Amino acid sequence: MPEPVAAPASSPSTTEPAAPHSTAAAPAGTAAELADLTSLQVLRALDSGPRGLTDGEADARLAGAGENTLPAWQAVPWPWRFARSLRDPFTAVLLALGLVSAAVASWGTACVILALVVVSCALRSAGEHRAARSMAALRELVAATVTVLRRDDPRAAPRTREIPVDALVPGDVVRLGPGDLVPADVRLLRASGLTVHQAALTGESVPVPKAASDAPDPAPTGPFDQAHLCFQGSSVATGTGTAVVVATGQATVFARAHTPPGPARASAFDRSVHGISWTLVRFMLLTPPLVLLAGAALRGRGLETLPFAVAVAVGLTPEMLPVIVTICLARGAAGLARSHDVIVRRLPALHDLGAMDVLCLDKTGTLTEDRPVVAGAYDAGGRADDEVLRWAAVNAWWTLHLADQPAPDALDEAILATDTAADEDALLTHEGVAALPFDPVRRLSTAVVRGPALGGHTLVVKGAAEAVAERCALDAEARAALLATAARYADRGLRVLAVATAERAARTRDYTPADERGLTFRGFLTFHDALAPAAPDALAEHGVAVKVLTGDHPGTASRACHDLGLAVGPHQVCDAGAIDALTDAEVAALARRTTVFARCTPAHKARVIAALRADGHTTGFLGDGVNDLPALRAADVGIAPRGAAALARESADAVLTTRDLGAVGHAVLAGRHSGGNISTYLRITLSSNLGNVIAMLAAGLILPFLPMLPTQVLIQNLCFDAAQLAFAYDRPAARTLRRPVLLRPHDFLRFITGFGLLGAAADLATFAVLAWSVHGSLGGADQAAFHAGWFTENLLTQALVMVVLRTGRRAAEGRVASPVRWAAAALAALGVLLPLTPLGPLWGMAPPPLAYYPLLAGVLALYAAALVLLRHRYARRQAALDQPGR
């Protein structure tokens, strides 16, 4: 998947100015293509100037280039969602069976199946439609207006005005200030102390310094590293700037990442469903021909057995599966949205959350907020010293009030938020005189204050350790020792500022950067990223391995993991650049033993996730930026937090509407709850159905009449289907919630084969009991009694299977009867009573002889004992497979 970054610059010559464009057309070009030109050449290429465009020029360009808007994400109409639901494999199989039933005039079967298809599609499309409505409420406007220089005519003086962002065109000159969102891709013409948040584009948690330059870096590592370029999707942290717009609308880097993805990847749920579906399809394609051949060869019956053959195939199909799957997932998704602030945009993604065994996270904006906090204050010897923090607070306070800054930068905010800085009276004991704001060249800010004692001024200097140490009155050895201390803090993943002061005689003339000399070093301030609320809880033990994929320095990422309580050894951190020379298999092997991949590009993140999926893991990714789009799309389930870029939210399968990352844990448990109920339903239904089909095939070879009429098969299926709805409302066993729940076709085949053969044995034993108890010539009345006896036995064995195999839970677990037990009791009562009511003869059944019932009870007792023994054997085998290292 392509990275959401601009194309490489085409390296145009800088020796000749580019030819001007007509004012009637939108000038072509992107920020990357114009990156190597000087400011004057860029303005000429855009046919613009420092005074901006005239209204007429802007209108002409707007008509040619179009509005400065991103490609629209079209809402999917409800009818289209309904039609799209028919692509579900189980639904398609049911639809095909319904059409075949109609073709052989089995109208009752056809109507029931088609009704189930309609209900399933309606439930799924309604759930996804509700999620789409919730997402629409979360969408935020990127920006409403922008400050631009425009002229009424070529001779008029430029005036600043506010215009809608969508009216911006290439060549416009815009002004940026703190808090502004960058409205398009721009080239800086002037800048003062400008820093920009690019986390949504690059994942960098620290604001990036930006500056106007006529001599761009000749060998930048990428367009985002160009100090003179700013991109749509970023925001101004500090300072001001004037810039010319070089790309708008779909020509921006942001819009390229906004392009809707291609064909959706097959998620864990899709792969599981397709595997089970094809297993069922093979059985169903094989069953009708066997019934027809057996009837024709042994009993001389021909096409009259076709309705029965179709009924047998339908009996093998879990007709309620689409309905139960949709109800389970829709209930789980509704509960998450209502109680845990999680919107599941694609219902099958809830199953994938429950099946997830590896969760990859971006650090910035997910594990941590994009906001620093003070970690400590230390003197030059590394000892804690609150006096250093007090001087830093004085600098931050008076720089804010005297340097004409509308808002402090992020580090000043962190300083002023500490308890030491919260005492404004203590800060005001130093009267502010002047301030020199931070700029990216000096990498310093200075506040000049007058202390309680009159007669002098104090310079309080705060900034990068190298810049401060260079201006202190220190010898080379002492300066090297200070820088080594700062490097040790940085290696631990901390950001470092140095603080120094200097005493000067009071004066009236202005202070300049030349006065920042001969300083006395005070100490260091260290910062780390603020942890996201409840982030440690979100990483609680759920049987899910956590891996961090971040663009940050390895030390910074390791520090965040340490603060979260996530153990990371020295051999579990890898620079992502190392995987460029590895094969996919080698990347998968590296990912098994690595917890943190640092300095990741978007392509690195997507490749690690693809390798984990190829290694057999169900992988989720939690990310918030445009740079995370490839990873969100590559994962089985993509998750975006509340503060994510709009593009990330649109691409995610699940969206957190709160900053509490504990919601991820709730989503995993909800997915396991739903997946556990779906898995239990499938195991019970398929094993019971397989046993009945095998018994029907055997009975067709043994008996001189149909073992059950098609109408009776339909009624039996309806009763069983109605009882199975209880699985959608059941509470799985606690052990089901402790590990990922994945629908594995091979495990299902092994399970249903073993328990299906056991059920078939019970049915064949019932044949023997019926043959002994019905002492007639198996004429019409005896056949009706036989049908009734087997009808009763089928519903009783199915009720027994529902109770015994329900998620392997012990009968004594919990005193409140579950919905499944109530449904099984109702099913058993129907099986016994229905043939005895006046409805029995209408459906071809007569009451069996009384001697049949005690014999049936004996068969059921043996069957229950065998079920319990086989269940315990299967549970022990599963527990052994679930052990670590297996």
Side-chain angles (χ1 to χ4, degrees):
M1 193 167 294
E3 299 177 31
V5 296
S10 57
S11 300
S13 170
T14 59
T15 58
E16 293 292 333
H21 294 261
S22 167
T23 59
T30 65
E33 292 168 350
L34 302 175
D36 292 340
L37 303 181
T38 66
S39 298
L40 180 59
Q41 289 172 326
V42 169
L43 290 170
R44 287 179 178 175
L46 295 169
D47 200 8
S48 182
R51 300 197 306 159
L53 301 175
T54 66
D55 290 333
E57 290 172 334
D59 292 341
R61 294 185 182 191
L62 186 62
E67 293 185 344
N68 179 34
T69 57
L70 296 174
W73 289 76
Q74 298 294 333
V76 179
W78 193 92
W80 175 247
R81 292 185 189 276
F82 183 92
R84 196 169 58 182
S85 300
L86 293 173
R87 295 184 303 177
D88 176 79
F90 282 123
T91 304
V93 168
L94 275 182
L95 186 60
L97 282 174
L99 296 176
V100 171
S101 300
V104 299
S106 295
W107 301 112
T109 302
C111 291
V112 170
I113 290 177
L114 293 177
L116 293 175
V117 168
V118 171
V119 169
S120 170
C121 292
L123 288 173
R124 174 170 292 188
S125 55
E128 293 184 353
H129 187 66
R130 283 195 299 270
R133 283 204 316 247
S134 299
M135 280 299 301
L138 277 182
R139 293 187 180 98
E140 301 169 354
L141 294 176
V142 173
T145 61
V146 59
T147 303
V148 64
L149 286 179
R150 287 276 179 90
R151 293 173 290 156
D152 297 329
D153 58 68
R155 297 179 180 177
R159 294 186 296 111
T160 60
R161 64 180 73 173
E162 293 289 322
I163 66 169
V165 165
D166 55 14
L168 205 62
V169 296
D172 263 326
V173 176
V174 298
R175 290 183 174 173
L176 303 173
D180 287 346
L181 294 172
V182 178
D185 291 353
V186 302
R187 163 71 178 262
L188 290 172
L189 302 176
R190 292 185 298 276
S192 174
L194 185 66
T195 61
V196 173
H197 282 291
Q198 294 185 157
L201 295 167
T202 65
E204 295 173 281
S205 58
V206 183
V208 179
K210 295 290 184 178
S213 174
D214 267 346
D217 183 357
T221 57
F224 298 117
D225 295 324
Q226 302 257 20
H228 57 291
L229 299 179
C230 297
F231 298 90
Q232 185 181 39
S234 54
S235 61
V236 177
T238 61
T240 58
T242 301
V244 60
V245 175
V246 297
T248 60
Q250 299 189 33
T252 63
V253 172
F254 201 62
R256 295 179 191 183
H258 191 282
T259 302
R265 78 286 190 204
S267 68
F269 182 81
D270 298 327
R271 297 193 299 270
S272 300
V273 165
H274 277 84
I276 297 172
S277 295
W278 278 110
T279 301
L280 290 177
V281 167
R282 293 186 186 100
F283 273 112
M284 286 185 293
L285 291 177
L286 183 63
T287 300
L290 288 177
V291 174
L292 290 174
L293 288 174
L298 300 179
R299 301 300 174 191
R301 295 189 292 264
L303 291 179
E304 66 268 20
T305 61
L306 183 58
F308 176 71
V310 173
V312 170
V314 172
L316 178 63
T317 309
E319 300 100 325
M320 292 298 292
L321 180 61
V323 175
I324 288 178
V325 167
T326 305
I327 291 177
C328 285
L329 297 179
R331 290 185 72 242
L336 282 174
R338 182 175 58 253
S339 303
H340 300 297
D341 299 310
V342 180
I343 297 173
V344 178
R345 302 183 61 236
R346 184 178 60 86
L347 285 184
L350 185 60
H351 164 271
D352 295 339
L353 282 165
M356 182 173 63
D357 60 349
V358 176
L359 176 61
C360 299
L361 312 107
D362 183 29
K363 182 184 75 67
T364 305
T366 52
L367 289 180
T368 62
E369 297 180 3
D370 192 10
R371 177 176 61 85
V373 294
V374 174
Y378 309 95
D379 63 17
R383 295 176 294 273
D385 188 351
D386 287 342
E387 189 70 9
V388 175
L389 180 57
R390 186 179 68 81
W391 281 118
V394 169
N395 172 284
W397 177 269
W398 288 112
T399 300
L400 170 64
H401 286 80
L402 298 178
D404 194 24
Q405 293 187 136
D409 67 20
L411 296 180
D412 282 350
E413 283 185 324
I415 294 170
L416 295 176
T418 60
D419 292 338
T420 300
D423 185 359
E424 292 188 11
D425 292 336
L427 294 176
L428 293 176
T429 58
H430 297 84
E431 180 186 351
V433 175
L436 301 175
F438 176 88
D439 70 64
V441 177
R442 289 166 44 247
R443 297 188 296 164
L444 298 171
S445 66
T446 298
V448 183
V449 297
R450 182 182 296 110
L454 299 178
H457 291 167
T458 302
L459 276 67
V460 185
V461 181
K462 169 173 59 66
E466 299 87 345
V468 173
E470 180 184 344
R471 291 163 172 78
C472 289
L474 299 170
D475 58 31
E477 183 178 351
R479 185 176 294 110
L482 290 177
L483 295 181
T485 301
R488 285 195 296 272
Y489 289 130
D491 290 340
R492 288 161 49 189
L494 298 169
R495 278 178 269 173
V496 184
L497 288 183
V499 179
T501 61
E503 300 298 328
R504 298 284 190 268
R507 73 189 197 197
T508 57
R509 70 178 185 275
D510 292 340
Y511 283 88
T512 69
D515 294 305
E516 298 168 335
R517 293 289 186 271
L519 307 178
T520 301
F521 190 84
R522 291 288 184 174
F524 297 103
L525 277 183
T526 60
F527 302 82
H528 62 75
D529 287 338
L531 301 183
D537 295 335
L539 302 178
E541 182 60 40
H542 287 305
V544 178
V546 175
K547 298 185 183 298
V548 179
L549 311 181
T550 178
D552 276 335
H553 184 278
T556 304
S558 298
R559 176 75 190 197
C561 294
H562 178 270
D563 292 340
L564 291 166
L566 183 63
V568 177
H571 301 296
Q572 293 177 296
V573 181
C574 174
D575 190 308
I579 72 176
D580 291 334
L582 303 180
T583 65
D584 290 342
E586 290 170 335
V587 173
L590 178 64
R592 292 188 207 116
R593 62 179 184 270
T594 301
T595 301
V596 176
F597 286 90
R599 294 195 179 102
C600 284
T601 66
H604 287 145
K605 295 179 182 180
R607 191 177 179 204
V608 170
I609 290 172
L612 288 168
R613 293 185 68 198
D615 200 32
H617 295 285
T618 302
T619 307
F621 181 77
L622 175 61
D624 69 329
V626 175
N627 62 310
D628 293 324
L629 290 181
L632 286 168
R633 295 168 181 169
D636 285 294
V637 55
I639 311 168
R642 176 180 181 178
L647 305 187
R649 293 199 305 269
E650 295 287 358
S651 296
D653 299 305
V655 178
L656 313 182
T657 63
T658 175
R659 295 193 65 87
D660 183 359
L661 294 187
V664 177
H666 293 302
V668 169
L669 293 179
R672 292 180 183 178
H673 189 292
S674 298
N677 284 345
I678 294 170
S679 176
T680 300
Y681 161 78
L682 274 174
R683 293 177 189 279
I684 290 174
T685 301
L686 292 179
S687 59
S688 179
N689 288 357
L690 180 62
N692 287 340
V693 167
I694 294 173
M696 285 184 180
L697 292 174
L701 299 176
I702 298 171
L703 300 176
F705 56 88
L706 292 177
M708 192 175 288
L709 300 178
T711 303
Q712 295 163 356
V713 174
L714 175 62
I715 295 170
Q716 173 187 288
N717 288 343
L718 284 174
C719 293
F720 194 26
D721 290 344
Q724 288 167 336
L725 276 175
F727 286 111
Y729 301 90
D730 194 22
R731 178 180 291 275
R735 67 177 181 83
T736 304
L737 304 180
R738 288 196 292 267
R739 56 187 176 85
V741 177
L742 186 62
L743 307 177
R744 296 184 176 91
H746 292 299
D747 289 348
F748 273 98
L749 186 60
R750 186 165 45 246
F751 183 95
I752 66 175
T753 300
F755 286 95
L757 291 174
L758 182 60
D763 288 341
L764 293 175
T766 304
F767 290 165
V769 168
L770 283 169
W772 182 87
S773 60
V774 178
H775 298 289
S777 61
L778 293 179
D782 293 331
Q783 290 180 22
F786 186 96
H787 291 155
W790 198 19
F791 179 89
T792 297
E793 185 267 351
N794 269 335
L795 291 189
L796 289 175
T797 54
Q798 288 170 340
L800 195 60
V801 167
M802 288 176 64
V803 173
V804 176
L805 299 187
R806 171 178 160 247
T807 64
R809 178 182 288 199
R810 296 183 178 87
E813 195 176 315
R815 297 185 177 275
V816 179
S818 74
V820 173
R821 291 178 181 173
W822 283 112
L827 184 65
L830 277 174
V832 172
L833 299 177
L834 195 58
L836 306 179
T837 66
L839 294 175
L842 294 177
W843 292 332
M845 293 184 289
L850 292 177
Y852 166 70
Y853 289 102
L855 293 174
L856 176 62
V859 171
L860 292 176
L862 293 174
Y863 179 51
L867 277 176
V868 171
L869 290 175
L870 188 58
R871 186 199 72 189
H872 284 316
R873 179 182 176 185
Y874 180 82
R876 285 196 300 271
R877 184 176 183 279
Q878 285 298 111
L881 292 176
D882 289 339
Q883 292 297 322
R886 295 298 297 272

